[in-house]
Amino acid sequence: MKKMLIALLSMVAGISMLYGAPENWLTNYDAAMKQAAKEKKSVLVLFTGSDWCPGCIALNKHTLSNEKFLSFAKENLILVYMDSPRRTPQSAEMRAEVIKLYRKLDPGQYIPATVIVANDGRILGRIQGFRNVDEYIKEIRELTK
């Protein structure tokens, strides 16, 4: 029984590491920056607590999964997902990457926190907290002018 439980937990952890980020989101900032330079797009870095933060959960449910945002992002952004879950297993390497990028981009004290980065590495601005899809897109457009 103990071995079966360990195997199940390992499988869940493996799935979580593979599927932690939503579809079309990267978890490697350097790869995102290279893609942004190539495609001449800005980078949106989202710092989130996907399984415990009410604002993060609401942003994902009502804004980031909205077709209007997905269409806008496809045309204009490279998306980076930096998650700090509490209940979902996460590799030590990914947790270290989130902390390193958090320190580098200084998104603020609260999550969800969005940092918009130009494809040359300049920080264009930050958005803290939940926004509905129209507000979120409007703020991103203003930052990327």
Side-chain angles (χ1 to χ4, degrees):
M1 183 68 170
K2 201 175 191 180
K3 287 182 181 180
M4 190 165 44
L5 181 58
I6 291 170
L8 180 60
L9 289 174
S10 296
M11 184 176 77
V12 169
I15 290 170
S16 167
M17 288 188 308
L18 289 173
Y19 300 107
E23 186 178 343
N24 301 321
W25 289 72
L26 302 174
T27 58
N28 182 301
Y29 179 73
D30 293 333
M33 290 305 297
K34 287 178 185 173
Q35 185 176 343
K38 181 179 175 183
E39 296 181 26
K40 297 183 180 16
K41 294 180 178 179
S42 296
V43 175
L44 180 153
V45 181
L46 175 68
F47 291 93
T48 187
S50 65
D51 65 1
W52 62 270
C53 166
C56 302
I57 294 165
L59 185 69
N60 186 50
K61 182 177 179 180
H62 300 291
T63 303
L64 303 177
S65 60
N66 184 296
E67 189 55 45
K68 189 183 276 189
F69 172 76
L70 294 171
S71 178
F72 169 77
K74 184 176 181 177
E75 294 296 318
N76 300 285
L77 303 167
I78 304 299
L79 305 172
V80 179
Y81 192 78
M82 293 282 110
D83 194 14
S84 295
R86 289 187 180 160
R87 294 182 293 271
T88 306
Q90 184 179 49
S91 71
E93 294 82 12
M94 190 66 226
R95 179 151 313 275
E97 185 65 25
V98 171
I99 291 168
K100 178 180 146 189
L101 193 57
Y102 192 91
R103 288 178 179 153
K104 178 178 180 170
L105 298 181
D106 188 26
Q109 296 180 6
Y110 304 101
I111 60 173
T114 303
V115 180
I116 306 299
V117 183
N119 60 28
D120 63 4
R122 290 177 296 118
I123 295 174
L124 299 175
R126 296 167 177 85
I127 303 168
Q128 286 197 305
F130 171 81
R131 302 289 191 281
N132 70 40
V133 69
D134 293 323
E135 293 169 337
Y136 200 61
I137 291 171
K138 180 181 178 190
E139 287 188 49
I140 293 167
R141 284 185 199 268
E142 288 172 5
L143 293 171
T144 57
K145 284 183 182 176

